[in-house]
Amino acid sequence: TSRLIGRSSLDGCSQTVTMPIAVVEEDAMKKMAEVRSVLQVMNVAIAVLLCSVQFGNAFAQVPDGQKSDHPIANDTRKYICPPCGCDSDGKIFNQPGKCPDCGMELVDKSNVLNVAIVVWDGVELLDFAGPGEVFAAARSDDGRSFQVFTVAASKQPIVSQGFLSINPQYAIDDCPPVDIMVLPGGGTSNVTGDEKLMAWVKKQTASSQITLSVCTGAFVLAENGSLNDLDATTWHGAVDRLRQQFPNVRVHADRRFIDNGRIITSAGVSAGIDSSLHVVSKLFGEESAVNTARYMEYNWQKK
């Protein structure tokens, strides 16, 4: 059995074209199957779109005093990429996951404190390496930790004690937010003589949780007025000079470190390890500081 399909013209002659019914039905079934496939794809796309809208609504603002029913919308934690030099340094994310730039796992911002160790040409090696070791090793029982990095006026290499070349991880222009700032000693005139660097240090001293000076790093704080009317100490060989240059500072020669709350000054060199352990104890508890000192095989002097 055949069915008339249409007419065609070949060489100017009109001709009737016929095709078996079975072939026509088979072709129609194929087209219907194609239509069903397209409809299925459209249904999936619509379902995905609806889920996205529903998920997005979870993060819509809700009236004051009320909470969204969506658990993620009520998660007020913020997440950061551990400072690594990528473009996401300093960015804050609203959800956990991977850093879009470096691929590192984002961490709860409240669980990590940024420790900025300021370095410059002539900086005393142990003044910054000691605190760096302490903060890098310290952990609290509930998972809190420190992220330690170096920062300088620029990213140009600097030299410590005439033999160690250091590449600062950050310059003051791109430094991540600072929770704890460490000011070592040695060659501090390279800091006090740099107006831009001194302005940055003064700003961080005012905004950071804790500023810790080691050795003659106290002169940097005294120069910008941060030690006025406070008790302070420094390297034993610089005590008299600190007293003479800054009469508004109450200088002590017999203290390993002095805690004024947000500003802590230390005596020379190894005393920076003791004051850093004190900061760990202050923030994470004494047990964390004791464990850190034990890891370092260091005899912590608590006063």
Side-chain angles (χ1 to χ4, degrees), residues 112-192:
V112 180
L113 294 174
N114 284 347
V115 179
I117 300 179
V118 188
V119 293
W120 54 83
D121 272 322
V123 67
E124 176 77 20
L125 176 57
L126 193 58
D127 281 9
F128 76 86
E133 175 76 13
V134 170
F135 291 119
R139 296 290 185 278
S140 70
D141 291 338
D142 57 2
R144 289 175 295 157
S145 61
F146 300 97
Q147 183 68 41
V148 186
F149 51 84
T150 52
V151 58
S154 73
K155 291 185 178 179
Q156 293 297 315
I158 61 98
V159 178
S160 171
Q161 292 189 252
F163 73 93
L164 180 65
S165 179
I166 303 166
N167 296 317
Q169 191 169 354
Y170 295 101
I172 57 176
D173 292 332
D174 66 357
C175 183
V178 176
D179 297 305
I180 298 170
M181 179 171 62
V182 178
L183 292 168
T188 51
S189 60
N190 289 327
V191 183
T192 56

